[in-house]
Amino acid sequence: MESSAVLTSIHSLTLEELGTRLAALGQPKYRAKQVMQWIYEKRVKSFAAMSDLPAALRVQLSESFSFDDLAAIRVLGSDDTTRKYLFRLADGALIETVLIPASPALYGEASDRRTLCVSSQVGCAYGCKFCASGLDGWSRNLNAGEIVSQVLRVEEISGERINNIVFMGMGEPMANFANLMQAVSIINAPWGVVLGARRITISTSGLAPQIRELADQPLQVRLAISLHGATDEVRQQIMPVNRKYPLAVLMEACVYYTEHKKQQLTFEYILIEGINDRPEDAAALVRLVRKVRAKVNCIPYNIVDGLEWKRPSEERQDAFMAILDAAQIPATIRREKGHDIAAACGQLRRQTMPAQ
Ligand code: SAH
Ligand code: SF4
């Protein structure tokens, strides 16, 4: 039998592409729709289970395409029901996916919001100094099927329906742009996962050219920028990407995005004690954010084993927020969930990977 690693992942194809592939196998185009229904509506996990397809075609399909079956090698849940999944891919690489239920404080007790935080790469090449994902460098891009499959597998294991997706797991999604866009279109498609584009958020450390490219795409996905520093001095101390795309360049791309999409964006701002949480940092953030239609999402730093950064006290966090508030900057603070299960991206994988 052929190894599945060399076959095209069925979850990485659009309806159109599958139609073309099936036509090449001498099949009518409508078969593509049937296959997609089995995968995304009925959620079967093999071609053999597609009982209304001719037996010969089922064999042909299984010889041409693979089913990404992500192996859940660890599942951790915390008290507040944030759940974290460590998946092993076909080549043995490990990635993390996190399921985050609604916060009653933000969305009310009755909210059924369930957000999935997905990975886009194995490791990360950007090496932000506070982040566990970048500590061991970058291994490879995920293909579109491996991104889509995270959604399908978590829905299968949890029995819950995801209604929000954030690309805030391991990796820099904008550095895997083609696969990212392919996965987003499959997740968004009426024949696919059927999730509205406005419920999909792409987070980036600030790759200005790709921000512009995304602005030129028709899909109304949301954009979050990992800012974490409001002056070049502070930002490049913790984010090496700032040397390539300094704040002035990044902000121009952000303005381009908001103008083209007629959308506001979100600045993510981790509060790290003594690094970016001083009153002058808050004042610099106010000046920066005023230049673009955006809101700020502050996140108290999540401690990573082996890194020396600290989370500021609640008093310091409140003082920082008060400055934004006084300047009427729309800002929230996410006292994030899952602190106890190493929910910051990349941490569970590091605990599980053999020491190198
Ligand atoms: N590479 C992309 C998306 C993945 S990181 C990006 O950087 O935006 C997703 C978010 O998690 C980013 O805002 C990142 O800065 C944040 N993050 C990384 N390590 C963290 C930590 N230890 N505590 C809190 N947030 C963290
Ligand atoms: Fe990569 Fe994002 Fe982590 Fe930076 S914060 S190392 S870009 S995953």
Side-chain angles (χ1 to χ4, degrees):
M1 212 183 113
E2 262 181 288
S3 140
S4 64
V6 299
L7 303 177
T8 305
S9 148
I10 192 76
H11 301 107
S12 69
L13 295 178
T14 62
L15 178 66
E16 184 74 30
E17 289 162 347
L18 181 60
T20 308
R21 298 284 293 257
L22 288 177
L25 294 174
Q27 292 291 330
K29 259 201 156 177
Y30 68 83
R31 292 283 187 217
K33 189 129 202 206
Q34 262 179 305
V35 172
M36 293 309 198
Q37 264 167 0
W38 280 111
I39 295 174
Y40 294 104
E41 264 179 60
K42 300 178 194 155
R43 300 289 171 101
V44 299
K45 292 174 69 184
S46 72
F47 294 109
M50 301 181 178
S51 56
D52 61 359
L53 298 186
L57 175 59
R58 285 184 256 160
V59 173
Q60 230 177 353
L61 286 168
S62 60
E63 285 167 353
S64 309
F65 304 103
S66 65
F67 254 87
D68 292 296
D69 198 11
L70 306 184
I73 62 170
R74 278 178 80 184
V75 180
L76 298 186
S78 74
D79 306 348
D80 51 18
T81 73
T82 292
R83 266 154 288 163
K84 184 155 193 162
Y85 302 83
L86 184 68
F87 289 124
R88 191 173 46 229
L89 308 177
D91 66 349
L94 301 177
I95 55 162
E96 299 179 16
T97 310
V98 184
L99 174 59
I100 309 154
S103 153
L106 286 177
Y107 301 106
E109 291 291 344
S111 170
D112 67 346
R113 196 180 163 103
R114 277 177 303 276
T115 301
L116 194 69
C117 177
V118 297
S119 291
S120 56
Q121 298 183 311
V122 180
C124 184
Y126 286 81
C128 301
K129 299 279 197 293
F130 47 81
C131 175
S133 292
L135 282 176
D136 298 301
W138 175 85
S139 308
R140 69 170 174 88
N141 283 332
L142 296 188
N143 64 43
E146 289 167 329
I147 297 173
V148 172
S149 297
Q150 294 173 58
V151 184
L152 301 181
R153 272 301 264 154
V154 170
E155 289 196 339
E156 182 195 348
I157 299 170
S158 68
E160 291 181 32
R161 191 88 192 157
I162 307 302
N163 47 28
N164 265 283
I165 291 184
V166 294
F167 282 84
M168 292 187 184
M170 197 185 300
E172 169 50 58
M174 294 291 214
N176 185 15
F177 198 77
N179 290 325
L180 168 75
M181 292 319 293
Q182 176 86 353
V184 165
S185 64
I186 295 168
I187 291 168
N188 179 241
W191 48 262
V193 181
V194 208
L195 191 68
R198 283 190 171 75
R199 292 173 167 271
I200 302 173
T201 300
I202 294 167
S203 178
T204 177
S205 59
L207 273 55
Q210 286 90 329
I211 292 172
R212 288 173 183 267
E213 215 176 321
L214 186 67
D216 293 335
Q217 304 263 343
L219 272 178
Q220 284 291 340
V221 288
R222 295 191 186 275
L223 181 63
I225 309 288
S226 294
L227 196 64
H228 312 330
T231 62
D232 283 322
E233 194 193 354
V234 171
R235 195 165 190 262
Q236 68 203 21
Q237 196 187 334
I238 50 177
M239 299 182 74
V241 67
N242 196 74
R243 286 178 204 280
K244 191 155 186 198
Y245 304 115
L247 282 172
V249 174
L250 174 58
M251 292 306 285
E252 265 180 39
C254 288
V255 170
Y256 184 85
Y257 189 89
T258 53
E259 284 176 356
H260 278 71
K261 290 285 194 203
K262 310 258 174 292
Q263 230 191 63
Q264 80 166 4
L265 48 81
T266 303
F267 286 120
E268 304 281 335
Y269 195 98
I270 309 176
L271 292 165
I272 309 176
E273 187 177 277
I275 301 293
N276 66 0
D277 71 334
R278 302 160 302 174
E280 61 262 41
D281 296 311
L285 183 57
V286 167
R287 286 194 296 275
L288 200 72
V289 174
R290 287 217 166 113
K291 296 184 182 147
V292 55
R293 270 180 69 201
K295 62 177 184 198
V296 179
N297 193 4
C298 291
I299 309 133
Y301 179 65
N302 215 337
I303 308 289
V304 175
D305 279 349
L307 296 180
E308 79 265 40
W309 315 104
K310 289 201 190 73
R311 160 184 293 218
S313 65
E314 293 217 357
E315 291 71 48
R316 275 183 82 102
Q317 295 173 25
D318 292 343
F320 191 93
M321 297 308 289
I323 294 170
L324 301 186
D325 200 42
Q328 295 184 313
I329 298 290
T332 50
I333 183 154
R334 196 166 73 207
R335 312 236 193 240
E336 95 291 348
K337 299 171 167 219
H339 199 46
D340 50 334
I341 57 162
C345 52
Q347 293 190 53
L348 184 58
R349 171 171 172 264
R350 293 202 93 237
Q351 288 169 6
T352 310
M353 271 193 313
Q356 316 196 340

